[in-house]
Amino acid sequence: MLQRSRNYGPPAARPVQVEVYAFRGVPGLAYRRVAGHLGAGETPDLAVARLVGLHDGDALVHSTSWRPMPDGTIVLTYAVAPEPRPAETATPLEDLTLASGDEPSRPTPPEVTNDQVAAHAVRHLGFLLDTDPSARAALERDPALTALLADLPPALAGKLATSSA
């Protein structure tokens, strides 16, 4: 029989941060990262819209990952494409290297860079471009981005570990 912990109450509330990577295709694959905490009564979807200046129907919004921070904060990551504010400064994404844990049973990487999170998110967008007609329609609003996503090698968003057994 499974033993229950003596603490039967709910887990302590953890702060939630929403980070958004807004992607564009000019002048090359690039992203703008914005982040903030959820407002009182705010859903993550509404936080994404607030953070990047998104209006209904402007872009594809896709949740790509979550991760715990050392201070207990949970970070929810979203990809948005096309970028709703293309005049804002963006970071070129040239290295699509993914972060990974030490072994398959410990997938959380010891460190994660913004470029690694963006690389993971852009793979989600590439997968959706190939598999989801409504996502493709949204992504095609930025033809340069669509062409860059179409050139990505077909792959899962995450990394599968292989064994020699």
Side-chain angles (χ1 to χ4, degrees):
M1 182 172 169
L2 182 63
Q3 294 291 322
R4 296 186 77 171
S5 161
R6 292 205 182 267
N7 178 2
Y8 295 111
R14 294 180 181 224
V16 175
Q17 181 183 31
V18 175
E19 72 177 348
V20 185
Y21 289 79
F23 290 96
R24 66 184 75 169
V26 173
L29 185 56
Y31 66 88
R32 175 174 62 102
R33 180 191 178 274
V34 292
H37 286 279
L38 286 177
E42 187 176 47
T43 66
D45 291 354
L46 290 175
V48 169
R50 171 178 54 82
L51 290 166
V52 296
L54 188 64
H55 302 286
D56 283 342
D58 281 353
L60 170 67
V61 175
H62 182 72
S63 173
T64 63
S65 62
W66 69 273
R67 67 185 180 280
M69 300 302 286
D71 69 358
T73 299
I74 300 297
V75 178
L76 305 178
T77 304
Y78 285 79
V80 170
E83 159 71 86
R85 293 185 177 167
E88 299 274 339
T89 301
T91 302
L93 181 60
E94 297 166 354
D95 182 3
L96 295 178
T97 302
L98 299 176
S100 62
D102 296 332
E103 58 185 75
S105 64
R106 287 188 223 118
T108 302
E111 267 186 67
V112 179
T113 67
N114 288 338
D115 279 358
Q116 289 169 326
V117 176
H120 178 88
V122 83
R123 287 177 184 231
H124 276 254
L125 297 179
F127 177 77
L128 292 170
L129 180 68
D130 287 343
T131 62
D132 184 326
S134 63
R136 174 181 276 283
L139 293 167
E140 286 177 339
R141 293 182 189 136
D142 182 339
L145 177 62
T146 303
L148 291 166
L149 293 173
D151 283 345
L152 291 175
L156 296 171
K159 179 178 174 183
L160 292 179
T162 58
S163 69
S164 58

